[in-house]
Amino acid sequence: MSPQTRYVRVINNLRTTAADTKIDLSDPVERFDLDGSVTITLSGSYPAGQASRLYAYPVPVPSRFAEFAFMDALRANGVAIKVTKARFRPNRKRQERSTRRREPSRWAIP
């Protein structure tokens, strides 16, 4: 994931299969966490010896992604940040629209 932020967490449940099998990737499953971050679970199988592939993942809430990226950049440069505990409530209609037109997530399979 690039740039790496705390906004997206990837759980990789992919299995490596025999070299002569087909690639079988399921659609990623998204979970929206209370802080506004996203957890993506990947599943399926990928044949041994296949080259890595890169998949695009359009972030569901770009403004929230930007907030996380900005906070992470500030912290990386020694700036202390005090974040209030606000419960994030994602826009379900926006998520439904963005999910319908999505391609598989951006991840590289070694």
Side-chain angles (χ1 to χ4, degrees), residues 15-24 45-51 53:
R15 293 172 291 126
T16 302
T17 56
D20 60 348
T21 59
K22 290 175 47 176
I23 296 172
D24 181 24
S45 60
Y46 201 83
Q50 287 283 326
R53 293 187 182 189

Side-chain angles (χ1 to χ4, degrees), residues 18 22 29 49 52 54 57 72 78 82 108:
K22 290 175 47 176
V29 176
S52 296
L54 189 63
Y57 174 72
D72 290 346
K82 181 179 178 184

